[in-house]
Amino acid sequence: MPIQPVPLNEVWAMRQAVMYPQESISFVQLEDDEKGLHWGLYDSGELVSVISVFDRNGSVQFRKFATRTNWQGKGYGTRLLQYVMDWAHQQGKQNIWCNARLTATAIYKKFGMQATGKTWQQYGLDFIKMEKQLVQTKHMQIIPAIDIIDGKCVRLTQGDYEQKKIYNENPLEVAKEFEDAGLQRLHLVDLDGAKAGAVKNWKVLEAIAGKTSLVIDFGGGIKTEKDVNIVFDSGAALATIGSLAVKNEFEFVKWLLTYGAEKFLLGADVKDEKITVGGWLETTDITIYDFLQKYIGHGVQQVFCTDVSKDGLLAGPSTALYKKIIERFPSLHFIASGGVSNVADLEALAEIGCTGAIVGKAIYENRISLDELKKF
């Protein structure tokens, strides 16, 4: 499904057919159409969706975004808008915005756009400005990890439960040390839950959430809506979803719609650029790029990726892979995971544009001190 420039006469025809079929072609023509960029998505040679983009002094406005009626709801428009978002980000534009019909705001919110200002009426319809900031201060957030088995803080090597090492009997104590060091996030993994297929260590989550101010993402064993509710009720800011997103897309998409995509952190375990599941024992035929593209289309904007060949080995992160992903999806909030062994590794991840890095074993093995993390 290629995306490419579209001649203006075809753009106008699409606008008229989809948006204002009762009006003439002149009604859908814009005064500055000649100054804009007009892209279209094609399927089997047929023009399916169009969008027009205009440079507004460093920001980007898109207008007349239209998808053929019989093709709507199939992800074509989503793919085209994501293309425009990524293009604007690559061009270094400050923000991207549109004047959206009030009935369409939910679509744009999936892309991280927010309503600004007041509504107004035009052509008998209610409109509001939707906007998303693209250029932000470069900052990579350090996210320490706590893995839980039997209520204790442990680390595994490459996901192997037989290679378990207990670092602290009291995860809350560890979490408070992270908070005292100025860290703001926590990646909390219920390894018992992951093994059992249901959340088990929610009391640990509840204790940490209740006695620290850390923003916690919690994963492991989240398989049902009941599990999701337990996680949020116990104080997690984000629910981390991994294998279920691979094996049960329908259920995960339902949660995205029910709770909001901003409440989930998508986890992608990868080996040779292919998604792995089942405790990393099974490698699928799904590429990391197809996996991310699909869920970005459902509104997911926060992802952490683990190269399973690196995790727990302190052998350095997969910066080349992560760089490729970031270049492919520049507007994604991308968090690197696995392999970090020293501060130089973190500096390398920050350099390629990661918005976050999960650090576990390197902290527990004293390869990186909490004081050293304050520079990020």
Side-chain angles (χ1 to χ4, degrees):
M1 291 180 287
I3 294 173
Q4 60 192 52
V6 181
L8 264 177
N9 63 312
E10 294 183 33
V11 172
W12 293 332
M14 176 75 83
R15 289 178 186 170
Q16 181 195 37
V18 175
M19 304 178 76
Y20 301 102
Q22 74 282 5
E23 303 290 349
S24 66
I25 283 287
S26 61
F27 183 83
V28 299
Q29 294 173 339
L30 302 174
E31 289 184 1
D32 53 355
D33 264 339
E34 296 290 345
K35 299 178 182 178
L37 298 173
H38 310 278
W39 281 305
L41 183 146
Y42 292 80
D43 189 352
S44 301
E46 181 179 359
L47 181 60
V48 173
S49 185
V50 297
I51 193 168
S52 297
V53 177
F54 302 88
D55 191 328
R56 307 296 191 200
N57 297 318
S59 68
V60 169
Q61 179 188 15
F62 64 88
R63 303 186 67 182
K64 305 301 183 186
F65 180 28
T67 302
R68 290 191 187 279
T69 304
N70 57 326
W71 293 89
Q72 292 175 9
K74 299 180 180 179
Y76 293 100
T78 293
R79 183 169 179 178
L80 181 57
L81 183 53
Q82 187 63 54
Y83 177 90
V84 171
M85 291 272 187
D86 291 342
W87 172 85
H89 193 281
Q90 290 166 349
Q91 295 295 312
K93 303 302 181 183
Q94 296 293 319
N95 63 353
I96 187 167
W97 60 279
C98 71
N99 293 325
R101 295 185 185 186
L102 206 57
T103 54
T105 55
I107 297 171
Y108 300 121
K109 285 180 180 178
K110 288 184 178 181
F111 290 86
M113 301 183 76
Q114 297 180 336
T116 61
K118 297 181 179 180
T119 61
W120 72 91
Q121 278 203 336
Q122 189 174 6
Y123 314 129
L125 301 169
D126 291 319
F127 286 83
I128 193 166
K129 183 178 180 180
M130 301 287 291
E131 185 174 7
K132 179 180 181 179
Q133 296 298 317
L134 297 175
V135 177
Q136 300 176 350
T137 303
K138 289 289 184 181
H139 172 70
M140 185 178 76
Q141 192 169 38
I142 302 300
I143 307 173
I146 294 179
D147 292 354
I148 306 297
I149 291 181
D150 296 330
K152 302 171 184 177
C153 177
V154 307
R155 294 300 292 175
L156 306 182
T157 298
Q158 293 193 291
D160 186 353
Y161 283 76
E162 297 300 317
Q163 298 187 61
K164 175 184 71 176
K165 184 174 181 179
I166 298 173
Y167 285 96
N168 196 303
E169 301 275 341
N170 188 347
L172 175 58
E173 184 178 281
V174 177
K176 285 184 174 180
E177 289 178 6
F178 293 151
E179 183 181 40
D180 290 343
L183 298 173
Q184 298 176 335
R185 288 282 303 271
L186 178 65
H187 180 64
L188 189 59
V189 183
D190 181 359
L191 291 175
D192 291 315
K195 197 171 186 179
V199 172
K200 296 296 182 183
N201 285 295
W202 60 269
K203 287 187 178 180
V204 175
L205 166 61
E206 191 174 61
I208 295 175
K211 296 182 179 180
T212 74
S213 60
L214 295 170
V215 177
I216 305 168
D217 67 79
F218 182 94
I222 303 175
K223 303 298 182 186
T224 67
E225 194 163 324
K226 178 182 177 182
D227 292 319
V228 178
N229 289 329
I230 288 172
V231 168
F232 289 141
D233 289 345
S234 299
L238 298 164
T240 301
I241 306 298
S243 294
L244 182 128
V246 181
K247 296 182 175 181
N248 194 344
E249 178 184 350
F250 177 82
E251 187 71 7
F252 183 40
V253 170
K254 185 176 73 172
W255 296 350
L256 294 175
L257 294 172
T258 301
Y259 300 93
E262 71 279 1
K263 295 291 291 181
F264 293 91
L265 176 62
L266 179 63
D269 294 333
V270 180
K271 183 178 182 181
D272 298 326
E273 299 192 358
K274 297 290 183 67
I275 297 294
T276 67
V277 293
W280 305 349
L281 297 176
E282 178 188 347
T283 301
T284 71
D285 291 327
I286 306 168
T287 70
I288 177 63
Y289 310 105
D290 289 341
F291 183 68
L292 294 180
Q293 182 70 63
K294 174 170 63 178
Y295 282 113
I296 287 172
H298 289 297
V300 170
Q301 286 294 314
Q302 304 176 84
V303 172
F304 79 94
C305 181
T306 305
D307 184 337
V308 301
S309 67
K310 299 277 190 176
D311 191 64
L313 296 180
L314 300 173
S318 295
T319 51
L321 169 63
Y322 299 155
K323 184 178 181 182
K324 285 177 66 176
I325 295 171
I326 292 167
E327 288 175 347
R328 182 82 169 265
F329 306 104
S331 62
L332 193 65
H333 292 285
F334 183 84
I335 299 169
S337 174
V340 171
S341 63
N342 52 46
V343 171
D345 288 338
L346 293 174
E347 291 172 341
L349 292 173
E351 180 67 25
I352 64 173
C354 293
T355 58
I358 294 173
V359 188
K361 198 169 188 177
I363 295 175
Y364 298 112
E365 293 288 338
N366 297 313
R367 299 288 191 95
I368 301 175
S369 71
L370 294 180
D371 280 341
E372 287 178 302
L373 295 177
K374 292 179 180 179
K375 65 181 291 186
F376 294 95

